[in-house]
Amino acid sequence: MKFREIDGRIKILLLMFCEILLGVIISLIISRISSKINNVKINLNHVLFMLIIFLFIICCVLVLVKYFQKIENKNSQEDIPPDQSAVSVTTKLQSTKKFLPSKIFVSTSLVVAGFVAAFIVQKILNNSVIPPLPVASPTAISTSIPRVTKVLKFALLPTLDFKTLEEQENWNNFIKDMERTLGIPVNIFPVQSYKEAIEAINNNDAQLAWFGGQAYIEAAKENNIEAFAQTVNNDGSRGYYSYLIANKNQPISQVKSLDKNQSDHYIIDAIKKGLLVTFAFNDKNSTSGFLIPNLCVFAKNGVEPETILNNPPSFLRSHEATALAVADQRVDVATNNSEALARLKKSHPQAYQKIEILWESRIIPSDPIAYRKDLPENIKKNIQKFFYNYQNQTVLNIMGWSGFEPASSSNWDIIGDFDHITKKIKSGASNAQLQAEAQRICSP
């Protein structure tokens, strides 16, 4: 069957389907682009959105008009018997031209209707899928709630892994539990780096955030946020450890020091002997992935990784990335921590088996959870109530925690001390007193 022989209504449905599909794709692209320019004072995303809609409609109208012209001309020629005169042809074409405005109207209406439908579909898709973690469904919204808290956006630090279906579902259950307690929708605000997490809460793109210690110290400098809770591990401890890790098959793993107080010297000696050539940090705003190993392995010994290493150190952005890079032998040594390796053991057991711990830090205060200071007091109290009394053991066990307890900014003062000493040493103010202070703060 030829396309022109298909019933006209079916043609319209086919065209409508194509327009909806194209509209959804274009709408998603527009949404992605516009999300990148939210901080621009002029509302450029709306201008861009309207411009692309306008161009899209014009293109579709031109295509459909051309199509209808072709069909009408073809039908006109086929419908005229061979013995008809040229006058009949002219009459038929004139009829076609008169009919053309109605075709333009139908085409334009069809495109507009298709794009409206596409926009609705795009909105549904946007609300149902927010990578990398599915967002919990919103609950009923009270009109009495201030505008800033109609939807509470929760920025999660990037070292929390959501790689398995179990982890994703577990976080969804955690968010749903939070929604039930707070009585307002809670949406995940996904971030890909500590810098994004800091910017999100300081720009009020998120009102609640799960930080690492160093990231919290950096974010708190703007004086917009305050920590109110920290995690408690299953064993009752309130902290974790920074690691330097290597692949078990690497020469550096075969002669590692067993003395925690001397293992930093072992790392420096291994670099000088050529046993350690490539090195990877996590993120410059990471406590265990940069701050502490940078001070307690390099600065403490009077060297900088950029100068002592033959190759500049890499920054791989997440603990999972550094662990997999070591497991795959893409780097010789990388930073990591005890919590991230525990998650890796579940999500990538084969990679975990290839990893050897070379160096371990002193205990680091566990992750701070903070909210913006300008949240209404009743919302703050409800958030505290949720975290302090959270008892869903199924969710907590998968996370590796027994619960949460009250905390304040002073819990992470030691992280500020790490940062302060590192900057002093790097500024060239290193002396015996600073070296002794670094030794004290770095000791297990």
Side-chain angles (χ1 to χ4, degrees):
M1 178 184 292
K2 295 181 180 179
F3 181 77
R4 67 184 183 82
E5 296 174 348
I6 300 175
D7 184 83
R9 288 170 294 183
I10 297 178
K11 290 180 184 177
I12 291 175
L13 290 175
L14 289 173
L15 289 171
M16 188 75 170
F17 174 80
C18 293
E19 289 160 11
I20 291 175
L21 182 61
L22 287 172
V24 170
I25 293 171
I26 291 176
S27 296
L28 288 173
I29 293 173
I30 294 168
S31 177
R32 180 66 62 183
I33 293 173
S34 65
S35 67
K36 301 294 183 183
I37 55 177
N38 282 335
N39 294 330
V40 181
K41 290 183 179 180
I42 300 174
N43 209 342
L44 294 179
N45 51 337
H46 287 174
V47 175
L48 179 64
F49 185 80
M50 295 305 298
L51 178 61
I52 295 181
I53 290 178
F54 181 70
L55 292 176
F56 176 72
I57 291 176
I58 289 177
C59 290
C60 287
V61 169
L62 290 176
V63 169
L64 288 175
V65 168
K66 188 69 177 176
Y67 165 74
F68 283 124
Q69 279 183 318
K70 184 177 179 181
I71 293 298
E72 292 296 338
N73 290 338
K74 190 171 183 179
N75 289 342
S76 298
Q77 293 173 0
E78 291 176 352
D79 292 340
I80 298 172
D83 57 338
Q84 290 289 333
S85 65
V87 177
S88 301
V89 175
T90 302
T91 305
K92 189 72 175 180
L93 290 176
Q94 288 175 349
S95 175
T96 299
K97 289 180 180 179
K98 291 179 180 178
F99 193 60
L100 192 57
S102 65
K103 289 294 184 182
I104 295 175
F105 177 79
V106 171
S107 302
T108 306
S109 301
L110 182 60
V111 173
V112 173
F115 202 91
V116 169
F119 185 77
I120 294 172
V121 172
Q122 183 264 330
K123 281 293 183 182
I124 294 172
L125 291 175
N126 253 8
N127 290 334
S128 61
V129 179
I130 299 181
L133 182 67
V135 175
S137 303
T139 55
I141 302 175
S142 171
T143 55
S144 63
I145 297 173
R147 182 178 179 275
V148 70
T149 51
K150 283 186 177 180
V151 176
L152 187 71
K153 294 182 181 179
F154 190 3
L156 291 177
L157 84 158
T159 53
L160 295 174
D161 292 327
F162 314 114
K163 302 301 180 184
T164 67
L165 290 176
E166 181 186 41
E167 287 167 336
Q168 292 186 18
E169 183 61 28
N170 200 56
W171 274 104
N172 277 331
N173 290 334
F174 183 76
I175 295 300
K176 289 176 183 176
D177 290 342
M178 191 184 303
E179 286 184 322
R180 280 191 286 270
T181 300
L182 301 184
I184 57 175
V186 179
N187 285 353
I188 296 296
F189 188 92
V191 293
Q192 300 302 316
S193 69
Y194 287 99
K195 182 179 179 181
E196 288 183 17
I198 293 168
E199 290 176 349
I201 196 161
N202 277 327
N203 293 336
N204 202 22
D205 293 326
Q207 295 76 46
L208 182 67
W210 195 302
F211 285 113
Q214 172 66 2
Y216 171 70
I217 294 295
E218 287 298 317
K221 289 178 180 178
E222 296 292 329
N223 202 32
N224 293 324
I225 65 170
E226 56 184 332
F228 66 91
Q230 71 178 134
T231 57
V232 180
N233 298 325
N234 276 334
D235 61 3
S237 62
R238 291 156 178 79
Y240 62 104
Y241 299 89
S242 174
Y243 290 151
L244 291 187
I245 58 173
N247 190 290
K248 289 180 178 179
N249 294 324
Q250 292 280 36
I252 193 173
S253 296
Q254 308 306 317
V255 290
K256 72 183 184 66
S257 170
L258 299 178
D259 186 348
K260 291 181 181 180
N261 290 312
Q262 298 298 320
S263 57
D264 59 299
H265 301 303
Y266 164 71
I267 296 294
I268 301 301
D269 289 342
I271 295 174
K272 292 178 179 178
K273 292 176 182 177
L275 295 175
L276 196 169
V277 178
T278 54
F279 188 94
F281 287 109
N282 173 4
D283 184 299
K284 283 192 175 182
N285 287 310
S286 171
T287 308
S288 60
F290 180 74
L291 176 65
I292 290 180
N294 189 38
L295 172 63
C296 298
V297 175
F298 294 102
K300 172 187 165 187
N301 289 291
V303 298
E304 294 188 13
E306 292 83 1
T307 56
I308 194 173
L309 290 164
N310 291 331
N311 299 302
S314 304
F315 287 87
L316 302 183
R317 299 184 62 161
S318 75
H319 292 305
E320 184 190 48
T322 58
L324 294 178
V326 164
D328 297 338
Q329 299 191 59
R330 287 182 278 116
V331 296
D332 296 331
V333 174
T335 60
N336 216 275
N337 69 38
S338 52
E339 293 180 338
L341 284 190
R343 290 192 294 271
L344 189 82
K345 187 176 182 180
K346 294 180 180 179
S347 60
H348 298 85
Q350 292 181 339
Y352 175 81
Q353 293 299 324
K354 299 177 182 179
I355 291 173
E356 182 80 46
I357 298 171
L358 303 180
W359 172 85
E360 178 181 295
S361 74
R362 61 168 291 166
I363 193 166
I364 305 168
S366 57
D367 294 336
I369 304 160
Y371 45 46
R372 285 185 58 87
K373 290 181 178 179
D374 57 6
L375 277 175
E377 288 302 318
N378 64 317
I379 299 296
K380 289 182 183 179
K381 289 180 180 178
N382 285 337
I383 292 174
Q384 292 176 10
K385 177 182 176 182
F386 168 75
F387 278 94
Y388 299 162
N389 299 289
Y390 193 66
Q391 297 294 325
N392 189 332
Q393 294 303 316
T394 301
V395 171
L396 289 171
N397 287 337
I398 293 175
M399 291 178 173
W401 302 314
S402 63
F404 307 90
E405 70 175 15
S408 64
S409 295
S410 61
N411 289 52
W412 293 274
D413 283 348
I414 190 171
I415 305 299
D417 293 340
F418 274 112
D419 189 36
H420 179 67
I421 294 171
T422 301
K423 287 177 180 176
K424 273 192 172 182
I425 292 176
K426 284 184 171 290
S427 68
S430 180
N431 54 39
Q433 183 179 354
L434 276 177
Q435 293 291 335
E437 197 171 353
Q439 180 66 41
R440 175 190 62 77
I441 199 170
C442 291
S443 296

